[in-house]
Structure formats: structure tokens, C-alpha cells
Amino acid sequence: MIKISYIYGKRAGYSTKVINYYRGITMKNILHFTFALIAVLGISLSTCSSASAIPLMAETVVTGTVVDAANGEPLPGVNITVKDKLAGTSTNSQGEFKLTISQDAPFTLIFTSVGYARQEVEITSANATGITVQMSRTTLTANEVVVSASRMEESILEAPVTIEKMDLSDIRSTASNSYYDAIGNLKGVDITASSINFKIINSRGFNSTGNTRMVQLIDGMDTQAPALNFPVGNLNSPNVLDVEGAEYIPGAASALYGPNAFNGILLMSSKDPFNYQGLSVMVKAGMNHLNGKEQLGEPADPQPLYNTAIRYAKAFNDKFAFKVNFSYKQAEDWRGINYSDKNSDVQGELDINPGYNGVHLYGDDGSFNIGLLGLSQGFIQTVSNTFSISPADAQKYAGALPAQPVNRTGYREHYIVDNDAENLKVNAALHYRLNENIEASYSFNYGYGTSVYTGAQRYSLNNFNVSQHKLQLEGSNFNLKAYGTFENSGDSYIADFVGYYINGVSSDPDRSDPAAGNTNWFGTYGATMVGAYIQQVMEATGSTDFNPQVVNAINSSPEALSTIFQAARDNADASRLKPGTAGFKEAKEAALENTIPTGARFNDNSRFYHVEGQYNLEDHIDFVDLLLGASFRQFQLRSNGTIFDDADGGVNINEWATYLQAKKSFFNDRLDLTGSVRYDKNENFDGQFSPRISGVVTVADGHNFRGSFQTGFRNPDTQAQYIDLNVVNARLLGGLPKFAEKYEITENAYTLESVQEFTNNFLATQSPDVGLLDAFETFDPVKPEQVQAFEVGYKGLFGGKLYFDAAYYYNIYDDFISQIHVRKASGPFTGQPSDQAVIASLLSGDFQNTFRIYSNVDKTVEAHGAAVGLEYSLPANFTFGINYNWNKLITDLGAFQNNFNTPEHKVNISLGNRYLFDNVGFNITYRWQDEFLWNSNFISTTVDAVSTVDAQINYRIPQYNATVKVGGSDIFNNRYVLNGGGPNLGGIYYISLTFDSLFR
């Protein structure tokens, strides 16, 4: 096996020939490689197993009963495994078990159950029958075992880095609407919400609604959507009946988990069908949208929500097991009702902003400077003909139009976005134990739904789905898996495109050409303003001849000019399609008939393949614990040109990696040192080394100090590499050199910041100051982002009742991946009259001359923070928990500082009792975070402080293995948002009935 691992690592070597070989790899190659490796590994392990079986060992049979230490009642569903093996079983409804193992005594059995402390029992004789195991109740996570910190089992007290765990009892007792929402109550976790089904997890700063800095694994599978490069929230995670637990590591973890494990990693595990058998059913009914703000577009009445889940698992002779899962959730989604203005470019002191662009309005993106009509000969001729004035006077009137950006009138979100949120999940798995040390499995995950995502714009993820297939061969000291992730955009679309299309065709006589319609609308708008000038001149002088004194007086009066701007909008909007009308419905359907660039829909079927092997050398090396592994993965971009520049057959991106970890204990296990190093290579970027070193010092039993130095990196995601997307007011471009060359973004180009300064000055003075423009002449291709993370911490368990954990971190970031905003002029400045056209091209921008291209920020950034938490087991089964989180950006980055997007202070408090009375329990959670600045391509704003209370009470019906739970999230219905551009969240109230593990 050592030889096999070496061959695999060597094959992933560093030569150019090997890298070029990987560029041409197809899925067929990947599957051939995977199956070959599995076959060789299986033969090798079988040989080893056969050799070790000579002479044959006698079978050892262990039988017994597991009971509650407090009352002596039998405990059903207790998981029993042989230490360092896969063999195991579980207790029946009477708490009884029988386990047959081909191993001579002595060996150790491990007993685990929800809400009880893990217990190890040593079997010393071949005839161990009728034993009784007493298990004690526990409420502290300090007693938990985790695997994510070092990819090996260890006590959470002894983990070398900060780690949070949510076990099955936490999941069952959460008061939140879903267990995924409850992750936001863990220490160090920040959460954003784009919709009821789409929430994203982050930690330690630089948050976003599409977080490519976090990795989320489900049973070892990366859940990122290949085209998005971040997990799609809870869309395809295990349903509540199948999830066993979650482990969360805040901070850099690239040394073990590779690219994008930058701000943290979340590992979720589903239930093993060998250990959790029987039928489980959950039905939940509830409501949201209480006291909805109907005038802003929310439902007037409370809206129902439903959630149903079913799980069935069965094992046969402890050799073969399977499980199937199904869940469906439906609700009326939260609405975006923020209509504040994202634009601030207003001429003079107008009472209104003609360039008004509402946060949750669609179709109002892409401003046009109305003063540019004075440079249009077609418009001048139209004015002359319409008002029967001379071409000379028409040119003067048109030239008098103020240089004011104007936007079209947008449509509110609920008219454009599909708010019927739903989520369907299907999961199945087959497990077969080749022997007591090796298990093969196949698993399938499928998540389908309709939701809303906030990115550069708001996107309606309509009938969006992600599926995953995984083959795995697992032993007591190795793991080999291969899986694929398949994304289908369904009928997903860009909300702004729909609004743009409806607005456009409403102004087109043929109701078919949005571009022509927009030209007509702005022409009507400008002509109406010219008509107002002519009328005022006529009233003042009795003639339509241009009079500069009268026109200048109008333009100098904010009140008069505001009235004219409003009249121009009313006139231009006369043909605007009204929501609810047949014409509006037809236009919306027409916008959704076609894909980008002629329509609003995506057409994405991107894929992601991953092969990984890991081997623990503990059976071969005694003086140190050594772990090694290697992986290969390939992204296959297949958006058919609707997201990426992949219309010509698609784009493949190959990545490979190797890693090594060594762990050694000193001074009678009082000091544990762990070192890791990983090398990753993406074909588009330089290779990345990610070292980590950590130490844990045990000063007394249950009291440990830890320290670590970690490095992390974040590869530019698939969008940062290959996106080529029209978002109405700009074009998003990948940061590879080909895109800068394709659109010639360094020719006659200026930074958008300087263009805005130039425009503001021009609006105020009517005189162009070209010196304000900052030429963009050199483009640096995007490259991986880096972080160095230092952490110290302490964990302590006092009297078995109080668990305390504290950590401080200090991060140093380099090469921040960001976007550069540039605008191209129609040509160079020459000092000639033709410069007027060049100036005009800079004053208004859209996807044809405005670009957002990925690159890096050339500055070192520092941030630090701390997290403190305690859990206290009070008398009478009460538990109390509190944690405080502090995050602070040290480096002053000016406007970029807002990208930290993280509250400085946050507190979570919980009080619960799983055994308040016989079969009655409850849990209450309070969450508070202070206000903070949010900056993104979608919006820059202040997110207000949040204060919510979740609560639940439950009643268990033991004879039916059933639980009734009544509860609510944000029970006081304090409306709030979690991130800039996010929807208006509120209370959710529910009642659920769960039958667990029937027919075991």
C-alpha cells in the first residue's frame, strides 16, 4: 500500500510533461484511473488481509444490553463499533445487541448514542456474553470526538485548532427553523441570507453572499456548484432525518483541505445505514410573513410553509446496508423590499434623482446621460420636426439638456422574481463490507429547488438542481473516493434582464426589440424636456426661438427642473407595461424564453469531478503518526456561453494535489505536535505550498493550550477565471489574459472611479477636466490569494460541568482577489472637437464599454479577532451556553475596508433542558450582532444591528418513538436583514411531528 501511494504521488509530479498530460484529461480517463486504483488497492488489501489471517482467528461473540445509567432503562439505537475497525452493530428496541468479530480478545468496543457520553469497553475474553453497559447522559460538546481538525479521530479538547461541533442531539433540539440555520449560532460563524433556502456560512471576515472562501463537505464531497464555486446553502445537504452532525473549523485549512479552505471549512456527515436503521418520518407545518408590509410588496397575510422528510435504512447480516431519503420543503420566500437609491449622481439640488436605481427594483439598471442627446443628429432632427423649429434652434435646445444621468423606471422584485421557494432532496446509499476492515459504498445526492441568490445582481434560481455520485472504498486506515457534481441551471435567470426586457419592449411599437424600445424611451424623455423649454420660452417671449436667458433660468432652478424631469418620466412611461396586465405577463414570458444574451435565462450544465486517496501509516510506522494523500479534480464549464466564455465546446480546468501530515507526542503525551504540508497545482496558476504546524500542551487533565501557524490560499474561482457575462450596466470578465486582450480593456480605458470623479465634476461645472481621468494601461492577470494565520487558544473542562474555550487569531492577507472597474472611451483625446464624442462615451456606460475584470489588490492586509465560549451543565438537566465573537480589520483600506463585511461584535446565548419533565424538553437561543458596513458589487450600505430569539418546546412519545415540537425562529418577528441587498427576514412559527427509527 505504501508503494501504491508513492506511485500515485509520483504520477502527480511537477514536470511540464505531466501537467500537459492533465490538460487533456477527460472524464473517461478519470473513471479509468479511479477504477484501476480501486482494483489495485483492493487486491493489495485483500492480499494483506489474507496473509494476516494465517493462522485463522476464532470468532469472538459479544452480547449484552445497554442501559441508561440514571434509571436503568434500556437504550435502543446505541451504535457499537470495534475500535480501529469498521465492524459494528446497534442495539435493538430492547437495548440488546450481538456482535460477532473475527478477532481474538482483547479488543475494545466503542458505544455512542445521542445525548450520552461516549464509552469504551474492553473485551478480555472470548466468551463475553450478557454484559451490561451503562451510559451516562451528557450535554457538553467537550466529550465529543472530531475528525476534521487533523483528518483523524481525536477529542475535541485535544484538537490543535479551533473547532465547533453540532451533534445529533443539538440538531434535534435546535429552535431554528432548520439545523442549517442553527449553524449560525456556533462560535465564530457569520451567516448571510439571499432567500429562505439560500444561506451562506463564513468566519473571520471578508464575507459575501457567494462565499468562495469556505469549503463545505458532505460525507467527504465538496458541495460547491461548479459554475458558482461556492456551496448553494442547504439545497443539497442531508435532510434533517439523515444528518448526523457537523464540524466547523473557522480559519485557514488549506494544508489539509486545499484550495478555498481559506476562511473555514464545514464538514457535514449523514447517518450510516449500519448504525441508524429503520423508518423515520417528519412532517412540519408553519407560517411566515406575519404583519407583512403589503405597501412595499410583501404578502398581506401570513403564508404557510411545509416540510416533509422520510428516511429508511436497513442492514443485512452486518455485511450489506442501504438507505433512502426524501424530503420536500415549500414556502413563500422572503421579499427584497429595499427601495433606497444606489445612485447619487444628481444635477444640482434636484428634488428628485432622475438616475434613481432602487436596490430591489429591476429594469432601472444602466443609466443614460440625457445631455448626450445634444450630440445626436437624429434626436436634433426629431426635435426640429416635432416642434416645427429650425434645425439650428433644435440643436440649441437639445444642447441645453443638463448632463444628468437618467435611469428607466424599475419594477419591484415580487413582480420579477419567483418567490415560490421550494426544495426537493433525494439521497440513496449502498454499503457493503468486504470484511471487518474494508467497506465499499455508493451514494447519490440530489437537490432541486427554486430560490433567490444575491450576487452582482439578484438571480432567480428557478428549478435549479445539483446532483452528486460517489464511489468510495474505506478501511480502518485508508480512504479512496471518486465523485462527480453535476449542476443544472434549470430555468434560472437574471432578474435585472427581465426588468430590462419588459421596459424595453414596452417602448417598442413592435413589442419585440428592447434595445430599440430603450432608445425610443430616452428619446421621448429628452423630447418632453425640450418641449417644456419651448413652452416656457413661448410664454416668456411669444416665440419659439431659442432664448438662452429663459432656458438657463429653468436649468438653474432645482424646483423647475425637477418638475420637468418628472413630467418627462411620466410621458415616457405612458406606454410602460403595468404589472398584472396581460402585456406585462407576455413580455416577462418572452424574456424567459431565450438564454443570455438574447434572453434572461442561463443554460448551464457545468460539472466537477474529484478523485482522492488518503492513507494512514500507523500500522507501518510506530514512532510517529503519518498521514498522506493525493487528489485530482477537474472542472468542466458548460454554460454554453451564458456565463463563461465556453460556447465552443466548453472549458476544462485541472487541479491536482498531494499532502502529508505527521503527528508526534512528547513528555508522556503532554505535548502533541502536528505538522502538515500540501502542494496544489491549478493549470492556470503557479503551484501553491500550504504548510501548517500546531501544538497542544496538556497542563492538567481536561486543560489544554494550543497554538498554530497555518497558511491558506484561494484559487481564483471558475468565474474569476472564465466569466464573460453581460449584466446590463457592465460586462463581467475573467482575470485571465485572454479576456483583457479580447475586449482591449487597456486601450482608451480609465478606471471607473476616476470616470465618476470626472463625471461629477462635469455635471457641476459643465466643463470637462480630462486631468481627473486615471488611464488604465496595464492589466495584471488574476492569481491566487494568500493568507498566513496565527492562532492561540485554550480549552478547559472544569468538574465535568463547565466547558470553556477561547481563541485569538491574527491573519495576514496578500493578493486579495478583487475586481477592477474600467470604462473605455470611444477613442483617444486629441484636443480636437471630436473630443466631445469621447467625453460623451465616458458619461454613460453599459456592458459595451464598462468592464469589471478580476485581478488582485497589491497590498498586505491584516485582521484579527477572538472568540470566547462556555457551556455549563446546570443542576436538574439545565444547560446554559454563551459565546462572544470579535472581528476587526487592522489595515485601513479606505473604501475597500467595507469588503470586510463582518460585524465587529456578536453574541449568542442559549438555555435548554432536554429533560425538563418526563418526556418534555425546551431550548431558547438569543442572537445579537452590531451594525456593520457592507460593500459589494450589488450595493454598499450599512447593515443594521440584529437581535432575534428562537425558541422551541418538545414532547416525546416513547411508545411510538415520536416527538412533537412547537417553536419559532425570531419569535418576536423583529424584521432584519443579514447582508446588503438581502431580503427582509422575519419570524417563522412551526409545529412538527417526528417518528424516528420505527421497524428497527
Side-chain angles (χ1 to χ4, degrees):
M1 182 60 222
I2 300 175
K3 183 177 181 181
I4 292 171
S5 298
Y6 172 74
I7 291 173
Y8 183 72
K10 187 175 181 181
R11 187 168 186 172
Y14 309 119
S15 71
T16 303
K17 182 182 294 185
V18 172
I19 294 172
N20 289 335
Y21 165 77
Y22 278 129
R23 289 180 184 272
I25 282 181
T26 65
M27 183 53 194
K28 185 177 180 180
N29 300 139
I30 296 173
L31 290 176
H32 285 172
F33 172 72
T34 302
F35 290 131
L37 188 57
I38 289 176
V40 173
L41 183 60
I43 292 171
S44 174
L45 290 169
S46 297
T47 303
C48 293
S49 178
S50 299
S52 63
I54 301 173
L56 294 175
M57 296 180 183
E59 287 188 340
T60 300
V61 179
V62 184
T63 65
T65 305
V66 183
V67 299
D68 188 319
N71 53 31
E73 294 183 358
L75 294 177
V78 176
N79 296 324
I80 306 158
T81 57
V82 181
K83 192 172 185 179
D84 298 327
K85 289 184 178 290
L86 298 177
T89 187
S90 59
T91 58
N92 62 18
S93 59
Q94 303 302 314
E96 301 167 341
F97 72 92
K98 179 181 179 180
L99 178 64
T100 302
I101 180 172
S102 301
Q103 179 173 336
D104 292 331
F107 56 85
T108 301
L109 296 182
I110 300 174
F111 294 78
T112 57
S113 184
V114 178
Y116 290 85
R118 170 188 168 112
Q119 189 163 338
E120 296 188 2
V121 176
E122 186 175 8
I123 304 301
T124 58
S125 65
N127 184 23
T129 58
I131 68 173
T132 299
V133 177
Q134 296 182 339
M135 298 189 70
S136 301
R137 295 176 180 177
T138 183
T139 57
L140 298 180
T141 58
N143 299 304
E144 298 288 345
V145 171
V146 293
V147 297
S148 56
S150 303
R151 284 188 179 253
M152 297 184 293
E153 281 194 357
E154 58 192 345
S155 165
I156 195 171
L157 276 171
E158 299 170 354
V161 294
T162 297
I163 184 169
E164 296 290 300
K165 180 164 184 177
M166 229 171 84
D167 65 15
L168 192 50
S169 58
D170 297 321
I171 292 167
R172 290 177 176 176
S173 63
T174 180
S176 301
N177 180 51
S178 75
Y179 74 86
Y180 197 86
D181 293 349
I183 294 174
N185 297 324
L186 296 178
K187 182 167 71 268
V189 175
D190 296 302
I191 196 164
T192 65
S194 291
S195 61
I196 197 170
N197 285 337
F198 206 114
K199 297 187 177 179
I200 296 295
I201 290 169
N202 186 65
S203 64
R204 300 189 174 178
F206 299 101
N207 201 0
S208 68
T209 53
N211 193 4
T212 58
R213 299 166 177 268
M214 276 285 302
V215 171
Q216 179 174 304
L217 302 179
I218 297 176
D219 294 333
M221 289 188 291
D222 194 328
T223 64
Q224 63 173 298
L228 298 175
N229 273 153
F230 56 83
V232 285
N234 199 23
L235 182 73
N236 64 334
S237 62
N239 74 47
V240 66
L241 296 178
D242 193 44
V243 65
E244 183 181 37
E247 296 179 16
Y248 175 74
I249 302 175
S254 293
L256 287 182
Y257 295 99
N260 302 344
F262 198 77
N263 280 20
I265 184 164
L266 174 66
L267 287 82
M268 305 175 70
S269 57
S270 66
K271 294 178 180 176
D272 189 317
F274 283 108
N275 298 331
Y276 297 90
Q277 299 182 47
L279 175 69
S280 300
V281 179
M282 187 277 292
V283 291
K284 176 191 284 187
M287 60 181 176
N288 64 346
H289 289 289
L290 272 74
N291 300 321
K293 301 176 181 178
E294 185 179 11
Q295 71 279 13
L296 296 179
E298 291 186 326
D301 302 312
Q303 298 296 302
L305 59 85
Y306 308 98
N307 192 355
T308 301
I310 301 172
R311 180 185 187 273
Y312 182 70
K314 176 68 175 176
F316 302 90
N317 300 321
D318 293 325
K319 294 289 288 183
F320 173 73
F322 75 93
K323 68 176 179 179
V324 290
N325 291 280
F326 169 87
S327 70
Y328 179 76
K329 179 169 61 176
Q330 191 276 330
E332 182 68 17
D333 211 339
W334 299 116
R335 304 282 177 84
I337 58 172
N338 182 356
Y339 306 125
S340 61
D341 189 1
K342 292 197 290 183
N343 283 343
S344 59
D345 296 334
V346 182
Q347 171 75 16
E349 298 178 356
L350 297 176
D351 299 332
I352 61 172
N353 181 12
Y356 171 78
N357 180 8
V359 175
H360 291 131
L361 293 177
Y362 307 113
D364 57 349
D365 290 85
S367 62
F368 174 74
N369 195 300
I370 204 68
L372 299 181
L373 292 175
L375 303 176
S376 170
Q377 292 303 312
F379 176 76
I380 292 169
Q381 187 62 49
T382 298
V383 167
S384 176
N385 295 338
T386 301
F387 298 104
S388 300
I389 60 177
S390 68
D393 278 335
Q395 185 166 6
K396 293 176 182 178
Y397 277 114
L401 290 171
Q404 169 62 52
V406 173
N407 286 42
R408 294 209 60 172
T409 306
Y411 293 96
R412 290 187 172 186
E413 179 172 292
H414 64 283
Y415 296 125
I416 302 296
V417 170
D418 188 345
N419 290 125
D420 185 14
E422 58 179 344
N423 183 202
L424 169 70
K425 300 179 187 178
V426 178
N427 166 267
L430 305 174
H431 293 247
Y432 181 73
R433 288 176 176 167
L434 283 71
N435 54 44
E436 293 168 352
N437 294 308
I438 306 173
E439 181 177 306
S441 63
Y442 162 77
S443 58
F444 167 71
N445 291 334
Y446 176 78
Y448 163 94
T450 293
S451 189
V452 182
Y453 159 58
T454 308
Q457 297 172 311
R458 290 274 276 176
Y459 303 93
S460 186
L461 302 183
N462 212 15
N463 302 323
F464 181 90
N465 63 86
V466 175
S467 59
Q468 294 184 298
H469 300 265
K470 181 182 72 168
L471 290 172
Q472 180 165 285
L473 192 62
E474 182 179 13
S476 56
N477 59 358
F478 76 92
N479 188 301
L480 177 65
K481 59 177 175 280
Y483 63 90
T485 303
F486 305 86
E487 177 181 342
N488 188 318
S489 58
D491 299 313
S492 301
Y493 58 89
I494 302 177
D496 279 299
F497 268 32
V498 176
Y500 168 82
Y501 185 92
I502 297 172
N503 260 337
V505 298
S506 69
S507 304
D508 176 39
D510 297 329
R511 291 282 199 265
S512 62
D513 189 343
N518 277 319
T519 299
N520 292 339
W521 190 89
F522 285 109
T524 301
Y525 191 104
T528 303
M529 294 189 68
V530 168
Y533 290 152
I534 293 174
Q535 181 180 356
Q536 293 294 319
V537 170
M538 181 69 180
E539 291 177 358
T541 67
S543 171
T544 59
D545 294 344
F546 181 78
N547 186 296
Q549 289 79 17
V550 175
V551 174
N552 288 339
I554 296 171
N555 284 343
S556 299
S557 170
E559 182 178 359
L561 199 55
S562 295
T563 301
I564 291 176
F565 272 121
Q566 186 60 56
R569 181 171 300 275
D570 293 340
N571 191 36
D573 276 347
S575 62
R576 182 171 180 263
L577 294 171
K578 301 296 190 294
T581 63
F584 179 90
K585 182 179 179 181
E586 291 173 2
K588 182 178 179 180
E589 291 175 350
L592 297 176
E593 283 180 0
N594 298 314
T595 58
I596 299 168
T598 58
R601 286 192 300 110
F602 298 107
N603 181 17
D604 180 60
N605 290 278
S606 294
R607 305 183 286 267
F608 167 65
Y609 298 101
H610 188 115
V611 180
E612 182 176 26
Q614 177 178 291
Y615 192 74
N616 191 327
L617 295 172
E618 61 183 359
D619 293 339
H620 306 279
I621 300 176
D622 295 330
F623 67 92
V624 66
D625 293 330
L626 198 63
L627 188 73
L628 57 86
S631 70
F632 171 81
R633 59 183 186 174
Q634 181 182 78
F635 293 89
Q636 296 184 356
L637 307 184
R638 301 293 187 270
S639 75
N640 298 289
T642 62
I643 301 174
F644 305 104
D645 183 24
D646 62 354
D648 297 330
V651 174
N652 293 348
I653 309 172
N654 297 311
E655 297 179 352
W656 56 269
T658 60
Y659 60 89
L660 175 70
Q661 175 179 273
K663 181 178 180 179
K664 177 70 174 176
S665 297
F666 301 91
F667 309 117
N668 295 321
D669 295 335
R670 289 295 182 180
L671 171 64
D672 287 337
L673 294 179
T674 304
S676 311
V677 65
R678 180 182 175 111
Y679 180 80
D680 287 85
K681 181 68 177 75
N682 178 295
E683 65 176 270
N684 290 326
F685 309 106
D686 293 337
Q688 302 292 317
F689 280 101
S690 303
R692 180 184 86 167
I693 186 168
S694 60
V696 179
V697 178
T698 301
V699 295
D701 289 345
H703 297 272
N704 300 309
F705 288 90
R706 65 186 185 274
S708 65
F709 166 73
Q710 302 190 70
T711 57
F713 74 100
R714 181 166 77 97
N715 275 334
D717 56 53
T718 55
Q719 293 190 24
Q721 294 179 59
Y722 285 99
I723 195 169
D724 189 348
L725 178 62
N726 168 9
V727 292
V728 181
N729 60 354
R731 179 173 290 276
L732 307 184
L733 296 179
L736 299 180
K738 60 179 290 186
F739 294 99
E741 296 167 2
K742 178 179 178 180
Y743 291 98
E744 300 178 337
I745 66 167
T746 58
E747 296 184 17
N748 304 318
Y750 305 91
T751 65
L752 191 59
E753 293 80 5
S754 70
V755 170
Q756 290 172 340
E757 185 178 1
F758 169 83
T759 301
N760 291 336
N761 179 267
F762 184 75
L763 292 175
T765 65
Q766 296 297 301
S767 175
D769 185 355
V770 178
L772 295 174
L773 294 171
D774 181 12
F776 182 74
E777 299 174 332
T778 303
F779 169 68
D780 294 320
V782 69
K783 58 186 177 181
E785 184 176 326
Q786 312 287 337
V787 65
Q788 299 176 70
F790 301 85
E791 180 182 314
V792 293
Y794 163 79
K795 290 178 183 176
L797 182 61
F798 299 85
K801 296 291 186 179
L802 175 64
Y803 171 50
F804 179 82
D805 183 14
Y808 168 81
Y809 74 89
Y810 175 78
N811 289 349
I812 303 173
Y813 302 89
D814 286 293
D815 299 322
F816 259 107
I817 298 173
S818 186
Q819 287 180 310
I820 298 173
H821 297 193
V822 302
R823 181 169 293 169
K824 281 175 61 70
S826 59
F829 286 100
T830 63
Q832 303 299 318
S834 59
D835 284 355
Q836 293 300 315
V838 177
I839 294 170
S841 67
L842 289 174
L843 294 180
S844 290
D846 58 18
F847 67 93
Q848 295 177 325
N849 71 335
T850 306
F851 304 95
R852 300 179 196 166
I853 188 166
Y854 283 91
S855 187
N856 301 83
V857 177
D858 186 19
K859 187 169 185 176
T860 297
V861 180
E862 299 177 0
H864 64 160
V868 179
L870 65 84
E871 299 175 28
Y872 190 37
S873 182
L874 299 166
N877 298 316
F878 282 90
T879 59
F880 172 78
I882 182 172
N883 63 67
Y884 166 73
N885 307 273
W886 174 67
N887 298 281
K888 183 71 172 178
L889 187 64
I890 299 173
T891 307
D892 184 3
L893 293 176
F896 184 70
Q897 182 171 353
N898 299 351
N899 284 343
F900 197 60
N901 291 347
T902 303
E904 183 174 353
H905 306 285
K906 187 174 60 178
V907 175
N908 296 293
I909 303 174
S910 65
L911 177 67
N913 191 326
R914 298 171 189 164
Y915 314 99
L916 181 62
F917 306 112
D918 286 343
N919 302 320
V920 176
F922 80 95
N923 188 42
I924 300 174
T925 302
Y926 170 74
R927 175 186 177 91
W928 173 86
Q929 65 182 41
D930 64 349
E931 70 173 22
F932 64 99
L933 295 174
W934 179 276
N935 187 51
S936 68
N937 287 328
F938 185 69
I939 186 177
S940 297
T941 187
T942 297
V943 176
D944 293 334
V946 173
S947 178
T948 63
V949 176
D950 300 347
Q952 63 88 5
I953 185 169
N954 61 80
Y955 177 70
R956 296 178 295 278
I957 311 173
Q959 59 269 38
Y960 298 109
N961 284 354
T963 302
V964 178
K965 183 161 74 170
V966 179
S969 299
D970 186 19
I971 60 174
F972 297 111
N973 199 30
N974 294 326
R975 308 304 294 270
Y976 65 98
V977 297
L978 289 175
N979 46 275
N984 194 32
L985 310 177
I988 296 178
Y989 309 90
Y990 62 84
I991 180 171
S992 69
L993 173 62
T994 302
F995 295 91
D996 193 26
S997 302
L998 301 175
F999 315 121
R1000 288 182 58 86

